[in-house]
């Protein structure tokens, strides 16, 4: 197998095991068993389990950045909803990180730093979305000076903490419609008539 | 020392250590050292460290229930704000639980169960508050059928996850005003004129 493919395979197997068993419960030995690679071979690509974690975390951040960049040019409601859909799939793909986010950011200083920067970056993207939608008359903050800053922070938090909320409240499955409904519920009171119409006609929460 | 006082002292010392060092990092031996009691004496009151955790968790739930019962008879905005103030102090007092909530509910089935019931109970109390405030004309859900259910769930989650949010985003101190602002920000778009006036005149967010 070419070197690059081996690296990708190790990451994929590790991600699967982390998601299933939780990061702390997986040992390099498990990863090596499932990959069918020797520990030495794995060590050639990743010195420690933490190095795999860092690589996965970087992939995750890059993927989420890509999603946000795609939607930021003209973020109509339907674009925001499409972003939320993809973001939901991404969270599910890296579910171990969301279940263990607090632990991982507490244990690993560089993950913590990178995650904070990433949260701030997300807030900035969403601020652009809010300003744009107020300017085009789909949202109305009714003169609330803090609206853009507070709403962006709330949207990011609500979205990022959704999986751990599901875990604490004991929801069995990660249901996309509930996630979308929750995020839109935060924005709805600020819809103008244009916003309401656009939301009702263009935003699909419950797929048929 | 009378038996009851010893028990209280053990809980107090354990709480201090859990808050400072995190639950998993504290051993019964530490607690016994700080209490100046033998391990045997502590074992007489609490067989394991988990038993202390359960006792503390029950205390915490009882205290929060008391706070909620006090405010539920006529929950005007100022009463809700008073509840939030006390709830903030309570979260700070049991900060280890909020920092480790996900871990603890994952590790201990009975805590998980009790915590979920407690979240549901809180939502029910807040639903009463929302219905009352809509009925007296301080809130207007504008015909949104899900308002009471969704808003109560959101308020409880925003409030309960506030400390872990601070931890992840790296906020240095637990600032009460930010907590109060965040909770009220969720309700504000539903204020009627009466609600706005009452909020501006009767609700204190930034203490002088």
């Amino acid at each position: 197998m070419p070197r690059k493919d081996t690296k990708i395979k190790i990451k994929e197997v590790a991600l699967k095991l982390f998601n299933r068993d939780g990061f702390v419960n997986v040992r390099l030995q498990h990863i090596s068993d499932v990959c069918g690679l020797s520990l030495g071979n794995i060590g050639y690509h990743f010195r420690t389990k933490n190095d795999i974690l860092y690589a996965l975390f970087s992939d995750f951040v890059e993927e989420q950045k890509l999603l946000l960049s795609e939607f930021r040019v003209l973020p109509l409601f339907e674009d925001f909803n499409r972003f939320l859909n993809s973001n939901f799939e991404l969270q599910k793909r890296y579910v171990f990180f969301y279940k263990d986010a607090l632990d991982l950011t507490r244990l690993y200083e560089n993950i913590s730093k990178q995650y904070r920067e990433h949260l701030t970056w997300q807030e900035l993207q969403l601020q652009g979305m809010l300003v744009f939608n107020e300017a085009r008359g789909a949202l109305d903050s009714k003169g609330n000076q803090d609206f853009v800053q507070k709403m962006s922070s709330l949207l990011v938090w609500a979205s990022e903490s959704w999986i751990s909320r599901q875990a604490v409240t004991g929801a069995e499955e990660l249901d996309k419609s509930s996630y979308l409904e929750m995020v839109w519920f935060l924005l709805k009171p600020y819809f103008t008539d244009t916003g309401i119409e656009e939301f009702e006609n263009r935003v699909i929460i419950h797929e048929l």
Side-chain angles (χ1 to χ4, degrees), chain A:
Chain A
M1 197 161 22
R3 219 182 271 177
K4 209 182 137 202
D5 292 353
T6 312
K7 204 155 182 165
I8 290 172
K9 188 178 181 185
I10 297 170
K11 284 198 291 185
E12 267 172 17
V13 166
L15 180 57
K16 209 173 278 179
L17 293 175
F18 293 166
N19 283 341
R20 196 190 63 187
D21 302 333
F23 176 74
V24 290
N25 301 313
V26 177
R27 300 190 179 284
L28 268 185
Q29 186 65 57
H30 300 154
I31 299 169
S32 118
D33 290 347
V34 179
C35 287
L37 293 167
S38 71
L39 271 179
N41 199 344
I42 290 195
Y44 175 81
H45 295 280
F46 299 100
R47 215 169 40 80
T48 64
K49 190 176 75 167
N50 293 352
D51 289 343
I52 307 182
L53 173 66
Y54 300 147
L56 284 172
F57 184 71
S58 293
D59 290 353
F60 156 73
V61 166
E62 283 314 306
E63 284 185 55
Q64 204 174 33
K65 277 202 170 178
L66 198 67
L67 290 181
L68 271 165
S69 327
E70 276 169 6
F71 114 101
R72 79 178 147 179
V73 192
L74 275 176
L76 304 176
F77 283 3
E78 56 189 297
D79 303 305
F80 184 52
N81 199 56
R82 196 172 329 110
F83 162 71
L84 291 173
N85 265 280
S86 312
N87 199 42
F88 177 83
E89 298 302 334
L90 189 66
Q91 293 196 3
K92 257 173 67 173
R93 185 161 143 69
Y94 289 94
V95 72
F96 85 97
F97 180 71
Y98 283 99
K99 282 191 180 165
D100 295 331
L102 203 55
D103 283 344
L104 297 176
T105 56
R106 200 153 42 183
L107 288 171
Y108 305 104
E109 189 50 47
N110 47 352
I111 290 220
S112 164
K113 199 168 158 285
Q114 217 184 329
Y115 188 54
R116 278 173 204 174
E117 286 168 9
H118 182 59
L119 291 176
T120 308
W121 190 83
Q122 281 189 71
E123 286 179 12
L124 286 173
Q125 300 305 312
L126 293 191
Q127 283 168 19
M129 183 276 281
L130 295 170
V131 168
F132 173 79
N133 278 288
E134 180 145 23
R136 77 182 179 94
L139 292 178
D140 180 2
S141 66
K142 292 155 197 158
N144 184 342
Q145 302 265 314
D146 298 332
F147 172 72
V148 168
Q149 192 271 319
K150 281 200 176 135
M151 180 55 79
S152 64
S153 155
L154 198 60
L155 286 171
V156 170
W157 178 249
S159 173
E160 291 287 303
S161 73
W162 193 76
I163 285 182
S164 63
R165 179 180 178 183
Q166 300 308 102
V168 168
T169 57
E172 298 271 313
E173 268 193 70
L174 298 178
D175 172 46
K176 190 162 71 180
S177 306
S178 317
Y179 167 77
L180 296 174
E181 272 188 3
M182 182 273 303
V183 176
W184 283 108
F185 180 74
L186 295 171
L187 279 173
K188 260 187 189 167
Y190 299 96
F191 285 0
T192 59
D193 289 344
T194 311
I196 294 171
E197 204 194 314
E198 186 171 319
F199 179 77
E200 282 172 358
N201 293 315
R202 314 280 296 177
V203 173
I204 296 161
I205 302 237
H206 299 275
E207 275 164 26
L208 296 177

